[in-house]
Amino acid sequence: MAAELTTHQGHCHCRAVTWEIQAPAKLRVDECDCSMCEMHGFQHIIVPKSRFTLHTGQDNITTYTFNTHVAQHYFCKTCGIESFYVPRSNPDGYSINFRCLERDNVAEFEILPFDGKNWEDNAAKLAHMSKE
């Protein structure tokens, strides 16, 4: 049986970009060690696009891409924080930065290491996370 979903709120540092996700109260958080994630400390919660709603800040987001340009990294133009993005491993979903999530509705969380240094060998392990 699938876990019951709850609403989690999140935002960038200055709160110009605000959003919510539908996810379980007990969260799996992946900590990737690829060059991008390791440099800015992104901790991933991957959800299907249908479970993400951007509330404010659409005009205050700038996009960064690199390498294959499939991943769309979204940064707040004001504070520079990347609170969510479209990952290359899950282009049908969003990866939410756990560090930007309000913890009010988080019952538990587990941070699991993800081998992003060997991304090509491991990315398929994440594909199921953006499925309904």
Side-chain angles (χ1 to χ4, degrees), residues 14-86:
C14 71
R15 295 179 185 256
V17 177
T18 63
W19 42 261
E20 72 180 32
I21 61 168
Q22 298 295 312
K26 182 177 179 182
L27 296 171
R28 170 194 166 138
V29 180
D30 290 291
E31 189 159 53
C32 178
D33 65 357
C34 76
S35 63
M36 184 74 168
C37 296
E38 193 166 72
M39 282 187 176
H40 71 279
F42 203 102
Q43 292 179 320
H44 303 265
I45 302 167
I46 299 173
V47 298
K49 283 189 178 180
S50 65
R51 295 187 191 158
F52 174 88
T53 303
L54 180 64
H55 288 300
T56 63
Q58 179 64 46
D59 295 339
N60 206 49
I61 293 173
T62 189
T63 305
Y64 172 70
T65 67
F66 65 100
N67 196 9
T68 64
H69 304 284
V70 173
Q72 302 291 307
H73 294 270
Y74 302 126
F75 293 86
C76 173
K77 291 179 185 178
T78 304
C79 67
I81 295 298
E82 180 183 20
S83 59
F84 69 95
Y85 79 105
V86 175

Side-chain angles (χ1 to χ4, degrees), residues 99-118:
R99 297 178 192 272
C100 297
L101 192 74
E102 293 179 7
R103 306 292 170 88
D104 300 349
N105 295 331
V106 176
E108 293 180 51
F109 64 91
E110 181 179 13
I111 298 175
L112 303 170
F114 177 77
D115 182 5
K117 289 188 184 212
N118 298 296

